[in-house]
Amino acid sequence: MATTSFASSADLGEKEQTLEVLADGVYALTAEGDPNIGAIEGEDFVVCFEALATPVAAQSWLTKLREHTDKPVRYLVLSHYHAVRVLGASAFDAETIIAHDNTLALIHERGKQDWESEFGRMPRLAKGADSVPGLTWPTMTFSDALSIDLGGDRGTLELQYHGRGHTEGDIVAWLPKHRILFAGDLVEAQAALYTGDAFHRDWSTGTLDGLAALNAEALVGGRGAVSRGRAGVDAAIGQTRHFIEVMLREVAAVQQRGGTLKEAFEATHAALHEQYGHWPIFEHCLPFDVSRVWDELSGIERPVIWTAERDREVWNQLQD
């Protein structure tokens, strides 16, 4: 494998953003493999899903959203704690910021380190980094489920926790009326998975099983295009599951024969590259993914905290 630039440090070209209206008052913004973001209108308010990396980046999304609705943002829902998903929160001026109980704990434990790590890995996403006022703190958390009454005939928005996956605290937003699922980074649609904070065995089994059981007709993943129709949704969930299963299989095989982390990375890269190597951020993510799989299969239950220094150490060991 040729030496590649660190993470996404060389990916500096702007991505084309596409705002899609998925149903009356239901919006998704996708951007060629950059983080997706969404919004759901209530009768007299808006619920936004994800916040992007900085207030400057978030304001660009809000400007597009305001072409469709001028309702105030009452709720901002954060699917998990990663910096590129949450640090733009101040732009929304939301009354309430909602996340899982575990997400709040993770921000306390490792939010600052993650901020430094992710902005170092993905500098283009950190547009207007100096506009970030500090860590984003949820003002409401829950453990299993939380329902938001959208008012009138708009139905409810169901926030659900299906178990450990991409992190310990990932939640999804489910619109039963329209059968639309905002899955966050628990599902990627033709974009590589970042799993450095993951619980791969839980994620690839019970957590994804729970999402599949919703029988969504449209799915907005963390990255990639909107998946439409049952076949499209099943394909996105299936590809996500397969990516994880291949990593678990390849790393386990190397460990069982007494091999090294570097050998596990090379075997996993070879097993995934043909099918997934052309997907956004594949080369960026895989060293961090394999490092976490190695740790998990070695008995390290919770992910080791990623710092900017550790990022470089792992990258230099595996990708260079």
Side-chain angles (χ1 to χ4, degrees):
M1 292 171 286
T3 298
T4 57
S5 299
F6 172 69
S8 290
S9 61
D11 181 7
L12 301 177
E14 289 296 316
K15 308 298 183 183
E16 182 178 354
Q17 296 183 331
T18 302
L19 189 151
E20 299 182 55
V21 181
L22 306 182
D24 179 31
V26 184
Y27 311 97
L29 186 77
T30 61
E32 298 184 294
D34 273 1
N36 294 336
I37 191 166
I40 302 97
E41 286 189 54
E43 189 172 23
D44 57 1
F45 63 90
V46 173
V47 182
C48 285
F49 187 79
E50 311 286 41
L52 297 178
T54 68
V56 168
Q59 190 56 58
S60 176
W61 148 242
L62 287 168
T63 298
K64 291 181 174 63
L65 181 63
R66 289 311 179 204
E67 296 174 3
H68 297 268
T69 177
D70 61 0
K71 297 172 184 175
V73 179
R74 181 176 298 174
Y75 301 102
L76 173 61
V77 178
L78 306 177
S79 70
H80 62 288
Y81 86 100
H82 284 153
V84 296
R85 302 289 182 180
V86 306
L87 292 182
S90 62
F92 292 81
D93 196 26
E95 292 181 22
T96 305
I97 300 175
I98 305 174
H100 191 265
D101 294 339
N102 291 343
T103 291
L104 177 58
L106 287 165
I107 296 169
H108 280 286
E109 179 187 50
R110 57 184 73 195
K112 186 64 164 63
Q113 296 95 320
D114 179 74
W115 179 356
E116 295 168 353
S117 165
E118 294 210 355
F119 278 29
R121 293 185 194 178
M122 296 172 277
R124 180 176 51 77
L125 297 185
K127 183 178 181 180
D130 59 357
S131 67
V132 179
L135 291 171
T136 296
W137 296 101
T139 58
M140 178 185 294
T141 64
F142 66 94
S143 59
D144 296 316
L146 179 68
S147 181
I148 296 174
D149 183 354
L150 297 173
D153 62 354
R154 291 183 175 272
T156 59
L157 179 66
E158 307 293 337
L159 306 181
Q160 301 174 350
Y161 179 68
H162 286 270
R164 302 185 304 184
H166 173 71
T167 72
E168 281 178 283
D170 294 84
I171 60 174
V172 300
W174 169 235
L175 273 167
K177 179 177 179 178
H178 299 295
R179 309 204 69 77
I180 296 172
L181 178 65
F182 289 85
D185 279 324
L186 287 173
V187 180
E188 309 292 8
Q190 298 188 19
L193 277 62
Y194 172 69
T195 74
D197 281 328
F199 296 79
H200 297 86
R201 290 169 292 192
D202 289 4
W203 186 0
S204 62
T205 54
T207 301
L208 286 180
D209 289 346
L211 301 191
L214 293 172
N215 295 320
E217 294 289 346
L219 181 150
V220 183
R223 294 174 184 262
V226 176
S227 300
R228 299 176 183 273
R230 285 291 306 281
V233 171
D234 289 347
I237 294 173
Q239 289 169 345
T240 299
R241 193 193 305 269
H242 182 252
F243 195 104
I244 301 166
E245 289 174 341
V246 171
M247 291 198 296
L248 286 167
R249 181 191 72 209
E250 295 298 325
V251 174
V254 173
Q255 286 188 345
Q256 288 164 10
R257 67 172 184 260
T260 65
L261 174 59
K262 175 71 169 177
E263 291 169 344
F265 172 73
E266 292 171 346
T268 305
H269 189 284
L272 290 170
H273 188 267
E274 181 176 355
Q275 184 170 353
Y276 302 109
H278 63 287
W279 283 8
I281 68 171
F282 175 82
E283 298 293 349
H284 167 165
C285 292
L286 200 62
F288 310 115
D289 295 354
V290 172
S291 178
R292 170 56 189 156
V293 175
W294 182 275
D295 283 355
E296 185 176 358
L297 296 182
S298 299
I300 298 174
E301 175 66 11
R302 299 188 69 245
V304 178
I305 294 174
W306 290 99
T307 64
E309 294 75 20
R310 182 173 176 234
D311 288 351
R312 292 283 183 172
E313 290 172 1
V314 169
W315 187 270
N316 292 338
Q317 181 183 4
L318 300 184
Q319 189 69 293
D320 282 356

